[in-house]
Amino acid sequence: MSSLSRSFYLRPAAQVARELLGKILACEGVSGRIVETEAYLGEDDGAAHSARGITPRTRVIFGPPGYAYVYFIYGMYDCLNIVCEPEGIAGCVLIRALEPLSGLDQMRTRRGSARRDEDLANGPGKLTRALGIKIAHNGVDVTKGPITIHASEHAEQFEIATSTRIGITKSADLPLRFFIKDNPCVSRR
DNA sequence: AGTTCGATCGCCT
DNA sequence: GGCGATCGAACTG
């Protein structure tokens, strides 16, 4: 069970976003299958945090691929992205939803009140909370750890659906959201 | 230094 | 479907 190599991420964000579907995301023994992603581009994408250049917050997005970009949003939630493209070029993939695989007890504890398995990580703020991912993980190398991504042990067949991205106002018409069709852990239809 | 607003979520009606 | 929570980053002046 080896992590995806850095070259996997050294490609356009939209392509990486599609191919991350079905992969396994893990952190400290808690893991889930990626069922929903969004690509954020470097240019011509007003919705991307990197759209207005390098700042203290966005510097990781302009760095080498295969690193985590974690940001704090709405005063409450952390969101996880994986940096793509070569160093110097912005681009990343937001992980939006997971199908819980292991450590469900810990996920449920972290998420609070008892709830259905499908609701433990079916959103970008929920999955970071379920896995214990916080702003302190900003900049970590996901080809190493503690956050890792690897291929599923079994070949899986699934259909990929595409839509516009959720919760943005700029560049809202770009079809850069990808999800596994009919999966119950996707955040929205 | 003050203001605005956001790649969200859960609770309310 | 609507809204409040909660706070830092980025922008304005």
Side-chain angles (χ1 to χ4, degrees), chain A residues 56-75:
Chain A
R57 181 173 68 153
T58 64
R59 74 181 166 72
V60 177
I61 311 174
F62 291 86
Y67 289 81
Y69 165 52
V70 183
Y71 68 91
F72 186 62
I73 189 67
Y74 294 116

PDB file of all heavy atoms in Angstrom, chain A residues 56-75:
ATOM      1  N   PRO A  56       0.963  35.009   1.988  1.00  0.00           N
ATOM      2  CA  PRO A  56       1.348  34.044   3.022  1.00  0.00           C
ATOM      3  C   PRO A  56       0.451  32.800   3.006  1.00  0.00           C
ATOM      4  O   PRO A  56       0.912  31.687   3.233  1.00  0.00           O
ATOM      5  CB  PRO A  56       1.184  34.840   4.317  1.00  0.00           C
ATOM      6  CG  PRO A  56       1.464  36.251   3.914  1.00  0.00           C
ATOM      7  CD  PRO A  56       0.893  36.374   2.527  1.00  0.00           C
ATOM      8  N   ARG A  57      -0.830  32.991   2.750  1.00  0.00           N
ATOM      9  CA  ARG A  57      -1.744  31.846   2.745  1.00  0.00           C
ATOM     10  C   ARG A  57      -1.556  30.960   1.512  1.00  0.00           C
ATOM     11  O   ARG A  57      -1.607  29.744   1.612  1.00  0.00           O
ATOM     12  CB  ARG A  57      -3.202  32.332   2.804  1.00  0.00           C
ATOM     13  CG  ARG A  57      -4.189  31.178   2.821  1.00  0.00           C
ATOM     14  CD  ARG A  57      -5.622  31.622   3.047  1.00  0.00           C
ATOM     15  NE  ARG A  57      -6.180  32.383   1.951  1.00  0.00           N
ATOM     16  CZ  ARG A  57      -7.467  32.440   1.652  1.00  0.00           C
ATOM     17  NH1 ARG A  57      -8.340  31.769   2.368  1.00  0.00           N
ATOM     18  NH2 ARG A  57      -7.892  33.186   0.660  1.00  0.00           N
ATOM     19  N   THR A  58      -1.377  31.567   0.350  1.00  0.00           N
ATOM     20  CA  THR A  58      -1.410  30.796  -0.900  1.00  0.00           C
ATOM     21  C   THR A  58      -0.054  30.290  -1.381  1.00  0.00           C
ATOM     22  O   THR A  58       0.016  29.651  -2.433  1.00  0.00           O
ATOM     23  CB  THR A  58      -2.027  31.640  -2.033  1.00  0.00           C
ATOM     24  OG1 THR A  58      -1.171  32.770  -2.289  1.00  0.00           O
ATOM     25  CG2 THR A  58      -3.410  32.116  -1.672  1.00  0.00           C
ATOM     26  N   ARG A  59       1.003  30.557  -0.637  1.00  0.00           N
ATOM     27  CA  ARG A  59       2.324  30.205  -1.152  1.00  0.00           C
ATOM     28  C   ARG A  59       2.457  28.703  -1.437  1.00  0.00           C
ATOM     29  O   ARG A  59       3.130  28.305  -2.387  1.00  0.00           O
ATOM     30  CB  ARG A  59       3.412  30.676  -0.191  1.00  0.00           C
ATOM     31  CG  ARG A  59       3.519  29.854   1.050  1.00  0.00           C
ATOM     32  CD  ARG A  59       4.566  30.284   2.034  1.00  0.00           C
ATOM     33  NE  ARG A  59       4.322  29.615   3.300  1.00  0.00           N
ATOM     34  CZ  ARG A  59       4.542  28.319   3.511  1.00  0.00           C
ATOM     35  NH1 ARG A  59       5.042  27.573   2.552  1.00  0.00           N
ATOM     36  NH2 ARG A  59       4.261  27.767   4.662  1.00  0.00           N
ATOM     37  N   VAL A  60       1.797  27.865  -0.650  1.00  0.00           N
ATOM     38  CA  VAL A  60       1.904  26.417  -0.857  1.00  0.00           C
ATOM     39  C   VAL A  60       1.363  26.011  -2.225  1.00  0.00           C
ATOM     40  O   VAL A  60       1.881  25.096  -2.866  1.00  0.00           O
ATOM     41  CB  VAL A  60       1.154  25.651   0.259  1.00  0.00           C
ATOM     42  CG1 VAL A  60       1.204  24.142   0.023  1.00  0.00           C
ATOM     43  CG2 VAL A  60       1.750  25.979   1.617  1.00  0.00           C
ATOM     44  N   ILE A  61       0.326  26.716  -2.684  1.00  0.00           N
ATOM     45  CA  ILE A  61      -0.302  26.377  -3.968  1.00  0.00           C
ATOM     46  C   ILE A  61       0.671  26.600  -5.119  1.00  0.00           C
ATOM     47  O   ILE A  61       0.564  25.966  -6.166  1.00  0.00           O
ATOM     48  CB  ILE A  61      -1.577  27.220  -4.201  1.00  0.00           C
ATOM     49  CG1 ILE A  61      -2.485  27.175  -2.975  1.00  0.00           C
ATOM     50  CG2 ILE A  61      -2.342  26.733  -5.430  1.00  0.00           C
ATOM     51  CD1 ILE A  61      -3.700  28.102  -3.057  1.00  0.00           C
ATOM     52  N   PHE A  62       1.619  27.525  -4.927  1.00  0.00           N
ATOM     53  CA  PHE A  62       2.614  27.812  -5.966  1.00  0.00           C
ATOM     54  C   PHE A  62       3.859  26.954  -5.813  1.00  0.00           C
ATOM     55  O   PHE A  62       4.780  27.055  -6.613  1.00  0.00           O
ATOM     56  CB  PHE A  62       2.995  29.296  -5.922  1.00  0.00           C
ATOM     57  CG  PHE A  62       1.895  30.226  -6.368  1.00  0.00           C
ATOM     58  CD1 PHE A  62       0.936  30.660  -5.478  1.00  0.00           C
ATOM     59  CD2 PHE A  62       1.814  30.636  -7.691  1.00  0.00           C
ATOM     60  CE1 PHE A  62      -0.094  31.505  -5.883  1.00  0.00           C
ATOM     61  CE2 PHE A  62       0.796  31.487  -8.115  1.00  0.00           C
ATOM     62  CZ  PHE A  62      -0.162  31.913  -7.208  1.00  0.00           C
ATOM     63  N   GLY A  63       3.903  26.138  -4.811  1.00  0.00           N
ATOM     64  CA  GLY A  63       5.057  25.283  -4.569  1.00  0.00           C
ATOM     65  C   GLY A  63       4.971  23.997  -5.376  1.00  0.00           C
ATOM     66  O   GLY A  63       4.124  23.850  -6.253  1.00  0.00           O
ATOM     67  N   PRO A  64       5.852  23.036  -5.071  1.00  0.00           N
ATOM     68  CA  PRO A  64       5.884  21.766  -5.804  1.00  0.00           C
ATOM     69  C   PRO A  64       4.627  20.929  -5.534  1.00  0.00           C
ATOM     70  O   PRO A  64       3.958  21.118  -4.512  1.00  0.00           O
ATOM     71  CB  PRO A  64       7.143  21.077  -5.263  1.00  0.00           C
ATOM     72  CG  PRO A  64       7.401  21.722  -3.942  1.00  0.00           C
ATOM     73  CD  PRO A  64       6.912  23.131  -4.067  1.00  0.00           C
ATOM     74  N   PRO A  65       4.304  20.005  -6.437  1.00  0.00           N
ATOM     75  CA  PRO A  65       3.092  19.189  -6.309  1.00  0.00           C
ATOM     76  C   PRO A  65       3.222  18.118  -5.232  1.00  0.00           C
ATOM     77  O   PRO A  65       4.325  17.751  -4.818  1.00  0.00           O
ATOM     78  CB  PRO A  65       2.959  18.557  -7.690  1.00  0.00           C
ATOM     79  CG  PRO A  65       4.355  18.473  -8.193  1.00  0.00           C
ATOM     80  CD  PRO A  65       5.047  19.697  -7.672  1.00  0.00           C
ATOM     81  N   GLY A  66       2.049  17.628  -4.793  1.00  0.00           N
ATOM     82  CA  GLY A  66       2.046  16.549  -3.817  1.00  0.00           C
ATOM     83  C   GLY A  66       2.075  17.018  -2.372  1.00  0.00           C
ATOM     84  O   GLY A  66       2.336  16.232  -1.472  1.00  0.00           O
ATOM     85  N   TYR A  67       1.800  18.290  -2.158  1.00  0.00           N
ATOM     86  CA  TYR A  67       1.752  18.840  -0.801  1.00  0.00           C
ATOM     87  C   TYR A  67       0.321  19.265  -0.466  1.00  0.00           C
ATOM     88  O   TYR A  67      -0.467  19.586  -1.348  1.00  0.00           O
ATOM     89  CB  TYR A  67       2.704  20.031  -0.652  1.00  0.00           C
ATOM     90  CG  TYR A  67       4.158  19.601  -0.656  1.00  0.00           C
ATOM     91  CD1 TYR A  67       4.815  19.336  -1.857  1.00  0.00           C
ATOM     92  CD2 TYR A  67       4.844  19.426   0.532  1.00  0.00           C
ATOM     93  CE1 TYR A  67       6.135  18.901  -1.867  1.00  0.00           C
ATOM     94  CE2 TYR A  67       6.168  18.997   0.539  1.00  0.00           C
ATOM     95  CZ  TYR A  67       6.807  18.737  -0.674  1.00  0.00           C
ATOM     96  OH  TYR A  67       8.103  18.306  -0.667  1.00  0.00           O
ATOM     97  N   ALA A  68       0.007  19.271   0.828  1.00  0.00           N
ATOM     98  CA  ALA A  68      -1.334  19.648   1.270  1.00  0.00           C
ATOM     99  C   ALA A  68      -1.455  21.161   1.410  1.00  0.00           C
ATOM    100  O   ALA A  68      -0.601  21.792   2.012  1.00  0.00           O
ATOM    101  CB  ALA A  68      -1.631  18.976   2.604  1.00  0.00           C
ATOM    102  N   TYR A  69      -2.515  21.705   0.842  1.00  0.00           N
ATOM    103  CA  TYR A  69      -2.888  23.101   1.094  1.00  0.00           C
ATOM    104  C   TYR A  69      -4.149  23.040   1.959  1.00  0.00           C
ATOM    105  O   TYR A  69      -5.200  22.625   1.497  1.00  0.00           O
ATOM    106  CB  TYR A  69      -3.159  23.842  -0.213  1.00  0.00           C
ATOM    107  CG  TYR A  69      -3.885  25.170  -0.033  1.00  0.00           C
ATOM    108  CD1 TYR A  69      -3.408  26.125   0.851  1.00  0.00           C
ATOM    109  CD2 TYR A  69      -5.040  25.462  -0.754  1.00  0.00           C
ATOM    110  CE1 TYR A  69      -4.079  27.332   1.026  1.00  0.00           C
ATOM    111  CE2 TYR A  69      -5.715  26.667  -0.588  1.00  0.00           C
ATOM    112  CZ  TYR A  69      -5.227  27.597   0.303  1.00  0.00           C
ATOM    113  OH  TYR A  69      -5.895  28.790   0.483  1.00  0.00           O
ATOM    114  N   VAL A  70      -3.993  23.425   3.231  1.00  0.00           N
ATOM    115  CA  VAL A  70      -5.120  23.415   4.168  1.00  0.00           C
ATOM    116  C   VAL A  70      -5.424  24.856   4.560  1.00  0.00           C
ATOM    117  O   VAL A  70      -4.519  25.600   4.929  1.00  0.00           O
ATOM    118  CB  VAL A  70      -4.801  22.588   5.428  1.00  0.00           C
ATOM    119  CG1 VAL A  70      -6.010  22.536   6.355  1.00  0.00           C
ATOM    120  CG2 VAL A  70      -4.362  21.175   5.048  1.00  0.00           C
ATOM    121  N   TYR A  71      -6.676  25.254   4.452  1.00  0.00           N
ATOM    122  CA  TYR A  71      -7.054  26.621   4.841  1.00  0.00           C
ATOM    123  C   TYR A  71      -8.268  26.593   5.766  1.00  0.00           C
ATOM    124  O   TYR A  71      -9.039  25.636   5.796  1.00  0.00           O
ATOM    125  CB  TYR A  71      -7.325  27.479   3.603  1.00  0.00           C
ATOM    126  CG  TYR A  71      -8.561  27.055   2.834  1.00  0.00           C
ATOM    127  CD1 TYR A  71      -9.800  27.614   3.123  1.00  0.00           C
ATOM    128  CD2 TYR A  71      -8.480  26.097   1.845  1.00  0.00           C
ATOM    129  CE1 TYR A  71     -10.931  27.232   2.435  1.00  0.00           C
ATOM    130  CE2 TYR A  71      -9.612  25.706   1.155  1.00  0.00           C
ATOM    131  CZ  TYR A  71     -10.831  26.271   1.445  1.00  0.00           C
ATOM    132  OH  TYR A  71     -11.955  25.873   0.779  1.00  0.00           O
ATOM    133  N   PHE A  72      -8.402  27.682   6.505  1.00  0.00           N
ATOM    134  CA  PHE A  72      -9.458  27.854   7.508  1.00  0.00           C
ATOM    135  C   PHE A  72     -10.546  28.730   6.911  1.00  0.00           C
ATOM    136  O   PHE A  72     -10.255  29.795   6.350  1.00  0.00           O
ATOM    137  CB  PHE A  72      -8.837  28.505   8.748  1.00  0.00           C
ATOM    138  CG  PHE A  72      -9.741  28.626   9.921  1.00  0.00           C
ATOM    139  CD1 PHE A  72     -10.280  27.510  10.530  1.00  0.00           C
ATOM    140  CD2 PHE A  72     -10.033  29.879  10.448  1.00  0.00           C
ATOM    141  CE1 PHE A  72     -11.100  27.626  11.639  1.00  0.00           C
ATOM    142  CE2 PHE A  72     -10.849  30.005  11.557  1.00  0.00           C
ATOM    143  CZ  PHE A  72     -11.385  28.876  12.156  1.00  0.00           C
ATOM    144  N   ILE A  73     -11.798  28.299   7.009  1.00  0.00           N
ATOM    145  CA  ILE A  73     -12.861  29.050   6.325  1.00  0.00           C
ATOM    146  C   ILE A  73     -14.091  29.200   7.213  1.00  0.00           C
ATOM    147  O   ILE A  73     -14.393  28.320   8.021  1.00  0.00           O
ATOM    148  CB  ILE A  73     -13.241  28.329   4.999  1.00  0.00           C
ATOM    149  CG1 ILE A  73     -14.184  29.176   4.147  1.00  0.00           C
ATOM    150  CG2 ILE A  73     -13.842  26.956   5.270  1.00  0.00           C
ATOM    151  CD1 ILE A  73     -13.584  30.434   3.589  1.00  0.00           C
ATOM    152  N   TYR A  74     -14.789  30.286   7.071  1.00  0.00           N
ATOM    153  CA  TYR A  74     -16.015  30.595   7.811  1.00  0.00           C
ATOM    154  C   TYR A  74     -15.819  30.527   9.315  1.00  0.00           C
ATOM    155  O   TYR A  74     -16.758  30.201  10.054  1.00  0.00           O
ATOM    156  CB  TYR A  74     -17.152  29.661   7.373  1.00  0.00           C
ATOM    157  CG  TYR A  74     -17.582  29.882   5.939  1.00  0.00           C
ATOM    158  CD1 TYR A  74     -17.425  28.905   4.973  1.00  0.00           C
ATOM    159  CD2 TYR A  74     -18.125  31.109   5.565  1.00  0.00           C
ATOM    160  CE1 TYR A  74     -17.815  29.122   3.665  1.00  0.00           C
ATOM    161  CE2 TYR A  74     -18.520  31.344   4.259  1.00  0.00           C
ATOM    162  CZ  TYR A  74     -18.365  30.346   3.315  1.00  0.00           C
ATOM    163  OH  TYR A  74     -18.744  30.582   2.022  1.00  0.00           O
ATOM    164  N   GLY A  75     -14.591  30.832   9.762  1.00  0.00           N
ATOM    165  CA  GLY A  75     -14.315  30.881  11.188  1.00  0.00           C
ATOM    166  C   GLY A  75     -14.461  29.573  11.920  1.00  0.00           C
ATOM    167  O   GLY A  75     -14.454  29.546  13.156  1.00  0.00           O
TER     168      GLY A  75
END
